[in-house]
Amino acid sequence: MNVAMVTIAYNATETLSRLVTSTRATRHDLRIHLFLHSRYAPTVQLCEQVARSCDVWYYPYGVNRGVSASWNEGALDAYRGGADTVIIANDDVYFSHGDLDRLAEKAARYRERYIVTCAGYHLRLRRALPSLG
């Protein structure tokens, strides 16, 4: 299955790095659509490093153009590029082993739904959050 993940980089370099690293264990073909909404030098450097990968489409806007603008652009580009499903992920989350695969497979099974959500452990709150569907 061709899976695309859309994410926006602001200034959270450590968490963005962890997110990207956590996607590498997927058994599906994954393309990352990475939007840069910052001019913070460490974030720019990390995004440029990640963008060197052949499975990354990089959008180096360098300004906060709004979440929905980039999510929509990324999803549309991903589907035009052949994605079977698109995962939208904040830059401060990461996937435990197998989570990205399970989420993509659930989305593929429920194509009639415009959104499939998941939940996980919230580090700051120190508890698991419920899934919405």
Side-chain angles (χ1 to χ4, degrees):
M1 178 169 32
N2 290 319
V3 177
M5 184 188 74
V6 177
T7 194
I8 300 169
Y10 293 102
N11 296 323
T13 54
E14 183 178 317
T15 58
L16 175 63
S17 180
R18 189 169 185 178
L19 168 63
V20 170
T21 300
S22 75
T23 67
R24 300 305 185 197
T26 184
R27 65 178 178 270
H28 299 294
D29 292 328
L30 176 72
R31 168 131 323 157
I32 297 172
H33 292 257
L34 175 59
F35 288 81
L36 176 63
H37 280 206
S38 173
R39 290 192 176 123
Y40 180 59
T43 303
V44 173
Q45 291 170 354
L46 175 61
C47 287
E48 289 173 355
Q49 176 186 350
V50 169
R52 289 187 198 104
S53 174
C54 63
D55 58 350
V56 175
W57 287 7
Y58 183 43
Y59 306 77
Y61 287 107
V63 296
N64 186 344
R65 59 195 294 259
V67 170
S68 61
S70 290
W71 282 354
N72 290 336
E73 182 179 353
L76 291 171
D77 284 354
Y79 283 123
R80 277 193 291 265
D84 297 307
T85 190
V86 175
I87 308 295
I88 308 277
N90 289 341
D91 66 343
D92 62 348
V93 301
Y94 66 94
F95 300 100
S96 294
H97 184 75
D99 286 348
L100 181 59
D101 292 327
R102 284 188 287 277
L103 184 58
E105 290 159 9
K106 184 174 182 181
R109 277 194 314 274
Y110 295 99
R111 292 199 180 282
E112 73 281 1
R113 297 183 183 180
Y114 71 96
I115 188 169
V116 174
T117 65
C118 64
Y121 187 78
H122 193 289
L123 291 175
R124 188 174 49 79
L125 297 177
R126 294 193 171 111
R127 65 182 175 90
L129 300 177
S131 178
L132 300 176

